[in-house]
Amino acid sequence: MDTNNLPAVAGDLAGRHIVLGLSGGIACYKSAELCRLLIKQGATVQVVMTEAAEQFITAVTMQALSLRTVYGSQWDAREPNNMPHINLSREADAILIAPCSADFAARLAQGRSDELLSLLCLARPIDQVPLLIAPAMNREMWAHPATQRNLAQLQADGAVLLGVGSGLQACGETGDGRMLEPAQLLDDLIAFFAPKPLAGQHVLVTAGPTYEAIDPVRGITNLSSGKMGFAIARAAVEAGAQVTLVAGPVGLPTPRGVKRVDVKSAQNMLAAVMHAASAATVFIAAAAVADWRPANPAEQKIKKDGSGRPPELQFVENTDILATVAQSARAQSGALFCVGFAAESQNLLANAQAKRARKDVPLLVGNIGPATFGQDDNALLLVDAQGAQELPRASKRSLAQALVAQIAARLHVEPPRSRASNAERAA
């Protein structure tokens, strides 16, 4: 199928051309989904398979998913110059081997090149076409000194090792060595290509609601889903930062590369934040923290007494986490850059400006809470000492990336160029 006239697809990998290499292993079944995800994010994918890989999945399947003819032989006569190892490697923005078996890792480490996939890895312009490795093998093979020695050699030679998962393996054993899931590999590839304006920074993010107990089965919370804070944590990792995410009670998966600390109440969140803030350089308070909590939570469930009147509750004010961190010595000295969030229901600009001044933070991000809680999109208002800037409604993913770029600029970190695509290099 001719892919030259296909419509352009927007996504985090738009304009990227990936050579997806499959070596022999049962994890080849995951490569089909990985191929689909790469294309969904805008990449073009050229599949190259070893003879062993074709024992686990057919070239027909991968051709149907990639919309390109699959290559498997170094003697493929379809190439006018009969040099697929040269042509395929020169066209790529990256080569991703997924799965990479123990045998194939050994071949790469030794520089062997008697079949197409290892040959094009060896023939690639090493300073222009990165090689990413997603190992997949039995737990004993993974732990074997020879395998670890080969993988260390590949890293020393410039390859990027994406790591492995742990769990039940096809052989029936349990342990390390599983290939990462397709969505995890996609996230790793997106992060690899992203600019790194926050390299060297340690970003602390809070996300989600808090839950303030009334009794063992009831409590006070809010409608925050945590999606915005989690998107910020992911964007910060992709921007090169070390990220700690303090999350209230939400059911969201942890972004790749993020250290997550789960908490429940505002007091729990305060303790976790103060512990982590001593090492952070950026604090982004995206959580919707309860302002009040019941003064005396009941030890047992409060029962109806037949009077028709609810129990009388007394409340105490929770410590303001953002204000506490912003007033710390590290924040006041400029060693910790603080970003607050304001979820309002009306008068967004005025309320956000007042909150920024009251809490003494350099940047305050405002949004209309009822219009965004639980949604996948949002609209933000950035307020600082110079004024306000609107970020129009978009996906929380896109807004998180824009916010991280704004923070990086305010930290006076000049973002390096992202890895140029082959098309950009050619231009």
Side-chain angles (χ1 to χ4, degrees), residues 262-274:
D262 286 317
V263 299
K264 195 169 185 179
S265 69
Q267 289 177 300
N268 298 152
M269 184 171 284
L270 173 64
V273 165
M274 296 310 294

Side-chain angles (χ1 to χ4, degrees), residues 62-127:
M62 299 309 298
Q63 179 175 338
L65 293 170
S66 67
L67 306 178
R68 286 172 173 262
T69 301
V70 173
Y71 283 79
S73 171
Q74 61 180 311
W75 311 116
D76 198 313
R78 288 171 295 179
E79 293 296 304
N81 59 1
N82 207 235
M83 297 182 184
H85 65 294
I86 298 296
N87 301 341
L88 298 181
S89 65
R90 298 307 187 272
E91 295 168 354
D93 290 307
I95 299 171
L96 171 61
I97 310 298
C100 181
S101 66
D103 172 68
F104 197 76
R107 300 171 71 84
L108 292 176
Q110 296 163 15
R112 294 168 61 188
S113 53
D114 55 354
E115 48 74 42
L116 179 58
L117 185 55
S118 59
L119 182 59
L120 72 86
C121 290
L122 194 67
R124 81 188 197 281
I126 197 168
D127 59 338

Side-chain angles (χ1 to χ4, degrees), residues 255-326:
R256 289 278 293 161
V258 169
K259 177 184 177 182
R260 177 173 177 173
V261 180
D262 286 317
V263 299
K264 195 169 185 179
S265 69
Q267 289 177 300
N268 298 152
M269 184 171 284
L270 173 64
V273 165
M274 296 310 294
H275 177 75
S278 60
T281 56
V282 178
F283 174 49
I284 306 174
V289 183
D291 293 326
W292 304 86
R293 70 178 186 274
N296 298 296
E299 294 184 3
Q300 302 298 330
K301 178 182 176 181
I302 300 172
K303 300 286 190 177
K304 293 185 289 186
D305 61 8
S307 68
R309 293 181 299 175
E312 188 173 306
L313 299 178
Q314 301 295 323
F315 290 88
V316 293
E317 188 173 1
N318 281 318
T319 301
D320 189 313
I321 297 175
L322 175 58
T324 300
V325 175

